[in-house]
Amino acid sequence: MASRAFLLAILALALSQALAADPNPLQDFCVADENSNLFINGLVCKDPKLAKAEDFFLSGLDKPGNAENKVGSNVTLVNAAALPGLNTLGISIARIDYAPYGLNPLHTHPRATEILTVIEGTLLVGFVTSNPNNKLFFKALHVGDVFVFPMGLIHFQFNFGKTPAVAIAALSSQNPGLVVIADAVFGSNPPISDDVLTKSFQVDKEIIEELKAQFKKAY
């Protein structure tokens, strides 16, 4: 009897994980109320009678983002905060611009799977599986190619061409979240202890201090 209860508990846990995603809407739409002061898991809906076509519309993804920065890339994200009509629909989109040899650094989306389509240039993309294998899946992409990054896994995109590149990404959450690995580890606030970092990366403290200096932010 105890073993049966244990198996049922494991099954319930597995099902809860399988169903973990943005909740399905219970009405046609739930336009985000940008003026609400309420804090909930998501965004508050405004009265559907007040919805208008503009709530579901956004222009500007045809315009290049400024990729003149340290890593040589720029992400223009369209989520529910930018496009109120996306609220509760479980999807968002982004335009990513890459300078020649530009990189969208190692990062994760804790709440979304990403599907990327190259519309200009060439990209080397990849993701790393979780422990214990940490296997790298990577591919060179050209115009019209599509690649999928599973939810929560570390991934990257690198423009290995001499000309700019552009990609469009669709994400399976209205708010996919973003954790840039280097920023989070070496630029946290307050900083992670050097003892933790030196032991984690198996390097000298001087190297950790040099890395921290690259990602130090003004808070």
Side-chain angles (χ1 to χ4, degrees):
M1 185 67 179
S3 62
R4 181 181 178 186
F6 177 74
L7 288 174
L8 287 173
I10 293 297
L11 178 59
L13 178 62
L15 286 173
S16 68
Q17 292 299 312
L19 297 174
D22 286 0
N24 290 326
L26 300 178
Q27 59 279 323
D28 288 346
F29 52 80
C30 172
V31 175
D33 184 354
E34 299 172 330
N35 298 316
S36 175
N37 293 321
L38 292 178
F39 185 82
I40 63 170
N41 184 26
L43 297 170
V44 175
C45 307
K46 72 178 184 181
D47 187 337
K49 296 177 182 177
L50 302 177
K52 52 188 183 297
E54 286 73 18
D55 293 326
F56 305 91
F57 171 80
L58 183 72
S59 64
L61 279 191
D62 59 317
K63 296 178 175 61
N66 184 3
E68 295 181 2
N69 50 53
K70 280 187 176 181
V71 294
S73 69
N74 183 87
V75 178
T76 304
L77 177 64
V78 181
N79 58 9
L83 183 57
L86 283 177
N87 193 35
T88 75
L89 299 185
I91 193 170
S92 54
I93 192 171
R95 171 181 172 136
I96 312 170
D97 291 274
Y98 312 83
Y101 307 110
L103 172 71
N104 190 7
L106 294 165
H107 64 280
T108 70
H109 302 293
R111 295 181 290 275
T113 292
E114 175 182 349
I115 183 167
L116 184 90
T117 304
V118 179
I119 60 175
E120 182 181 325
T122 55
L123 294 174
L124 176 68
V125 305
F127 67 86
V128 180
T129 63
S130 55
N131 287 340
N133 297 323
N134 298 130
K135 182 175 180 180
L136 172 64
F137 289 85
F138 66 97
K139 190 76 174 175
L141 305 184
H142 303 272
V143 174
D145 290 345
V146 177
F147 198 83
V148 172
F149 305 102
M151 181 186 295
L153 296 186
I154 295 174
H155 59 282
F156 65 89
Q157 301 115 30
F158 174 65
N159 177 9
F160 61 91
K162 296 180 180 180
T163 59
V166 182
I168 296 293
L171 301 113
S172 62
S173 172
Q174 70 178 51
N175 185 23
L178 174 67
V179 180
V180 180
I181 306 304
D183 287 351
V185 173
F186 299 110
S188 68
N189 179 36
I192 298 173
S193 165
D194 285 354
D195 292 335
V196 173
L197 294 177
T198 54
K199 193 166 289 264
S200 295
F201 289 93
Q202 297 294 293
V203 296
D204 294 334
K205 182 178 179 180
E206 291 74 17
I207 295 176
I208 295 299
E209 290 296 335
E210 183 177 348
L211 288 168
K212 280 187 172 181
Q214 300 299 314
F215 295 93
K216 187 176 182 180
K217 303 181 182 72
Y219 293 102

